[in-house]
Amino acid sequence: MEGVWRREAARVIARLSRLTRDVGLAEELAQDALVAALETWPQTGVPVNPGAWLVTTGKNRALDRLRKRKLVARKHEALGAEMMAPDPSPADEAMDDFIGDDLLRLVFQACHPVLSLDAQVARTLRKLGGLTTDQIASAFLAPSPTIAQRIVRAKRRLSEAQVAFELPRGEELWGRTQAVLRVIYLVFNEGHAATAGDALVRKDLCEQAKHLGRMMLSLLPREPEVYGLVALMEIQGSRFAAREDGDGRPVLLLDQDRGSWDQEAIARGLGALCRAHLLGGRGPYVLQAEIAACHARARRAEDTDWARIAARYAELARLMPSPVVELNRALAVSMAEGPAAGLAIVDRLRGEPALADWHRLPAARAEMLLRLGRVDEAIVELERAAEGATHPREREQLLERAARCREGAMT
């Protein structure tokens, strides 16, 4: 049941939002439908199309509310006629793809300029990807209570502003684009490297993000950053089959079987990147796609052009200063110029508040210390990284690495 709800929640809310023109009400109706499913499905079994079942149940709950509140007759009839319409045929679904169109409307509405950029993104991640507050906090490198307050305030602000459930046009569309792209990017990131749950990869979130990215291309066919984001997601997604070992534990990029990378996805990504370059793209998503392309083009790990990757990270850091970008640059520099050069950058980041509890900082430091032969220090960093890791599989791997290093140091 949890898996079904996680997959279908955003689509159900999006569909009900278009029908009711009220996202807050749509969320309540979707929750009502979930309660009904919890009561019904154990006896009847999960329906073939659980999303359609939830939408229909939500529509019925909406009709009940309309009748009880005795809304204006014209609105009642207009909404009622649409809600009482029979379920669409497959041909109708192709013409009115609510999984895409309504979902994108939901994203654009949540990314309304009445909210701050961070509030836009946090609110949308909660509803679009079904991400928990802790997962969103991890994406922002911020405390969970801060994110929770941000989401509640955003919901209240949207409700007070009575934001229309429709795609903006012209300059208004462009004004929301950066927030929408950031949402899509963060949804993909959570799918690509899940911060919670049993699986390291949530393909449902990745596919949802890629689908929205392709829809953005149809809206903004001459925007290089959209092509850059699509390229990045395709190339990163090409590695799914190689990212876990037989026990479900993460496999580091340099240790992955490159023969199992999806070459068709890589080709699609490189094609999108080429289009971004033709349009003169040099923004953050284009630069990240170029970095991903460097890995994709290397037949073997040792063929990777680390100097080029380090240069792209330096360019990205100038364009979008961030301790996370700087940490990634440090890793690239350590490969291009040696671990001592990378460690010098990492050590400058140790006082960054945003990275204080992020396990990837001590994990990166541990790798560089091991290459320098400073094993005892590396063990401490590996154990610190395991303490901060949110995913159990990743935590296990870090602790096992620390144990192997300790055994090696004792022999």
Side-chain angles (χ1 to χ4, degrees), residues 40 45 110 145 195 247 332:
T40 304
T195 55
D247 297 320

Side-chain angles (χ1 to χ4, degrees), residues 6-8 10-11 103 124-132 135 183-196 200-213 233 240:
R6 192 171 61 188
R7 290 192 304 271
E8 302 293 343
R11 299 178 180 121
L103 200 55
T124 313
L125 287 173
R126 186 75 179 91
K127 295 306 167 191
L128 174 66
L131 272 61
T132 65
Q135 288 170 318
V183 165
I184 295 171
Y185 172 75
L186 290 175
V187 168
F188 182 85
N189 276 359
E190 176 59 29
H192 184 257
T195 55
L200 284 169
V201 175
R202 280 191 58 185
K203 292 183 181 179
D204 59 322
L205 287 183
C206 293
E207 289 304 317
Q208 191 174 80
K210 287 195 288 185
H211 180 64
L212 288 170
M233 292 190 294
F240 285 163

Side-chain angles (χ1 to χ4, degrees), residues 65-138:
R65 292 190 182 210
L66 286 172
R67 293 187 186 105
K68 288 176 182 177
R69 294 177 185 178
K70 298 181 179 179
L71 297 180
V72 179
R74 181 178 60 80
K75 183 176 180 180
H76 185 285
E77 291 172 4
L79 289 175
E82 185 173 4
M83 291 177 182
M84 293 302 291
D87 290 337
S89 66
D92 291 334
E93 285 287 344
M95 295 296 291
D96 181 24
D97 179 15
F98 75 82
I99 291 178
D101 195 21
D102 284 351
L103 200 55
L104 191 59
R105 280 189 172 89
L106 183 65
V107 178
F108 268 98
Q109 188 194 42
C111 291
H112 197 280
V114 299
L115 304 176
S116 69
L117 179 60
D118 282 351
Q120 292 171 14
V121 176
R123 161 80 173 157
T124 313
L125 287 173
R126 186 75 179 91
K127 295 306 167 191
L128 174 66
L131 272 61
T132 65
T133 302
D134 287 343
Q135 288 170 318
I136 298 169
S138 177

Side-chain angles (χ1 to χ4, degrees), residues 48 56 97 106 141 158 165 196 201 259 268 274 371 406:
V48 175
T56 300
D97 179 15
L106 183 65
L141 297 180
L158 283 176
F165 186 68
V201 175
R268 289 194 300 269
C274 180
R371 290 170 59 199
R406 185 173 284 106

Side-chain angles (χ1 to χ4, degrees), residues 343 347 365-366 369-379:
L343 187 62
D347 284 345
R365 193 166 189 272
L369 289 168
L370 284 172
R371 290 170 59 199
L372 289 167
R374 295 159 61 177
V375 179
D376 290 342
E377 294 174 76
I379 291 170

